Amino acid sequence: MTQQKNPSPSAPSLARAWSRRAVLASGVATLAAPMVLRAQTPAKVIRIGSPDLGTAGKPSPGSSVLAVVQAHKWLEEEFEKDGIKVEWNFFRGAGPAVHEAVSAKQLDVISLGDLAAVIGRARGLPTRFITASGRGSNSYLATAPGVSIHTVADLKGKKVTVLKGTAYQRPFDNLLASAGLTEKDVKLINMDWPSSKAAVVAGQIDATFGGADLFLLKDKGVNIALSTKGRGPAYTINAGILATDDFLAQQPQLAQRLVRQLVRGAQWASQEKNRDALIKLYADNSGNPEVAFREELAGDSLGARFSPLLDDGFIAGYQGVQDDGLKLGLIRQGFDVKAWFQPALVQQAIKDLKLDKQWAETDATGKAKGAA
């Protein structure tokens, strides 16, 4: 159970306090005063939620900027002088479980992959997108020992697990579509990541689709048969950090300070000189092997992968996720994707940290602006 914020003073008591200070204030001012005072009351805890992408008893937000900030304890350092606790919550149920916690008002800030974030917003979750935390990550199909799958077409009739409602469902469905297949053409099982790993090792399923942590299973006879690497934007996954409307409205200064630390983490992760240290950090933080992260990041520009910018290319990627979600029946109704993003916090953080030239903005096609 997550720790709740200390309750604010009641509206009547605040109104009485205000009236003692300003007897001549109008009724409207008296009613507005409690809201202003409440907004200025700093939180006692910032509650962060993420799917659990760790293993071996190491809860982790995976290979994102958030993991860098968590490992360095930069948020704790930022807020401890104000007596504000940073509370980390990791969910084995991934996106759907994070959604439930947001609905119950148990979280302030969340980390999600693109499809999970879009599904939550399409269902009415009161969130705003405040910074990118990872771009263009890939997915992998791991097959059980002795199972022969070499092409996407070979998946027909096979027993495959995918954790539905997570960012992996979209590239999996697009992968099937590339061979003229749909989810109905495979024996699709909705299973969480730890269970699916155990099932594929035991040969209880033919294959499982997920992230680079599946490389952990290679020494158990599991084969990485397919990858989305190099297949284009429809097959990759973006990720970002969202905040609830309540948190942004009531704690704008804390939100800005939080984003500043996330941008600091993005700057550290973007440095090629930190590549080996980044891979080691991800492995130590998650319990997954270094080979998984080394394979995933091979050939990628770290600056492009970890740019925090909420630019045209990043937003267009989420528009594509919504479009695919509607087409594939993963969401029932759309929303204004561009209005969902709140880039001002990132822009201010970049200015504060003097990182104006650190990352190149991308256009709607995903190419760096000004590039030939």
Side-chain angles (χ1 to χ4, degrees), residues 16-362:
R16 288 193 297 270
W18 181 261
S19 63
R20 286 194 296 269
R21 291 173 175 81
V23 175
L24 299 178
S26 69
V28 173
T30 304
L31 290 172
M35 294 173 16
V36 173
L37 291 175
R38 189 180 298 117
Q40 293 175 342
T41 302
K44 297 299 183 184
V45 59
I46 299 175
R47 304 164 301 175
I48 300 174
S50 169
D52 187 358
L53 300 173
T55 189
K58 291 188 174 183
S60 169
S63 53
S64 71
V65 167
L66 188 61
V68 172
V69 174
Q70 181 202 20
H72 284 106
K73 298 186 182 300
W74 286 338
L75 292 179
E76 286 81 356
E77 291 175 5
E78 172 68 25
F79 295 113
E80 66 181 356
K81 57 181 174 290
D82 302 304
I84 299 172
K85 177 184 176 183
V86 177
E87 181 181 279
W88 297 88
N89 301 274
F90 297 96
F91 298 85
R92 283 293 182 183
V98 173
H99 293 163
E100 289 181 11
V102 172
S103 295
K105 297 185 178 295
Q106 295 174 337
L107 297 173
D108 304 304
V109 177
I110 59 175
S111 171
L112 286 174
D114 48 24
L115 179 60
V118 167
I119 288 174
R121 187 65 187 87
R123 292 178 178 173
L125 284 186
T127 61
R128 296 285 175 178
F129 216 113
I130 57 174
T131 183
S133 60
R135 302 172 183 238
S137 64
N138 303 291
S139 307
Y140 304 87
L141 183 87
T143 57
V147 172
S148 179
I149 294 176
H150 301 289
T151 68
V152 177
D154 293 338
L155 289 172
K156 187 171 184 178
K158 294 295 192 295
K159 190 183 295 184
V160 186
T161 64
V162 175
L163 184 50
K164 290 188 175 183
T166 69
Y168 294 106
Q169 189 174 2
R170 178 202 181 213
F172 180 71
D173 284 359
N174 283 337
L175 203 62
L176 291 176
S178 71
L181 304 176
T182 70
E183 290 185 0
K184 295 180 180 179
D185 293 306
V186 300
K187 297 175 182 176
L188 190 64
I189 302 170
N190 184 24
M191 188 179 290
D192 65 40
W193 294 312
S195 300
S196 64
K197 288 177 185 176
V200 76
V201 169
Q204 297 170 345
I205 56 175
D206 296 309
T208 184
F209 190 79
D213 54 317
L214 291 173
F215 281 86
L216 176 68
L217 307 179
K218 290 188 72 173
D219 62 354
K220 301 181 185 299
V222 170
N223 182 46
I224 305 299
L226 297 172
S227 167
T228 61
K229 205 162 193 175
R231 293 178 183 263
Y235 300 91
T236 58
I237 296 172
N238 294 325
I241 308 298
L242 300 89
T244 66
D245 288 349
D246 283 349
F247 182 69
L248 291 173
Q250 296 171 13
Q251 307 294 339
Q253 294 181 345
L254 298 189
Q256 184 63 71
R257 290 166 62 186
L258 181 141
V259 170
R260 190 179 302 123
Q261 293 305 316
L262 291 169
V263 171
R264 178 186 177 191
Q267 194 269 344
W268 187 88
S270 294
Q271 304 300 305
E272 284 297 331
K273 66 181 181 181
N274 290 335
R275 181 178 288 264
D276 288 341
L278 178 67
I279 290 169
K280 186 177 187 304
L281 181 151
Y282 284 157
D284 292 344
N285 195 56
S286 69
N288 290 310
E290 287 190 18
V291 63
F293 304 109
R294 200 171 297 281
E295 177 71 25
E296 169 62 19
L297 294 174
D300 282 2
S301 160
L302 296 183
R305 174 66 79 107
F306 296 112
S307 167
L309 301 179
L310 301 182
D311 52 23
D312 292 343
F314 192 76
I315 295 173
Y318 277 77
Q319 183 64 57
V321 171
Q322 175 175 268
D323 294 345
D324 281 352
L326 290 168
K327 180 176 65 177
L328 296 167
L330 304 178
I331 57 175
R332 295 182 179 179
Q333 61 182 14
F335 58 93
D336 188 339
V337 172
K338 188 172 184 180
W340 183 35
F341 287 80
Q342 189 166 318
L345 294 172
V346 170
Q347 292 167 355
Q348 184 61 50
I350 288 173
K351 182 178 179 181
D352 293 343
L353 295 171
K354 297 179 173 55
L355 297 175
D356 304 76
K357 298 181 180 180
Q358 177 66 58
W359 299 282
E361 289 194 16
T362 60

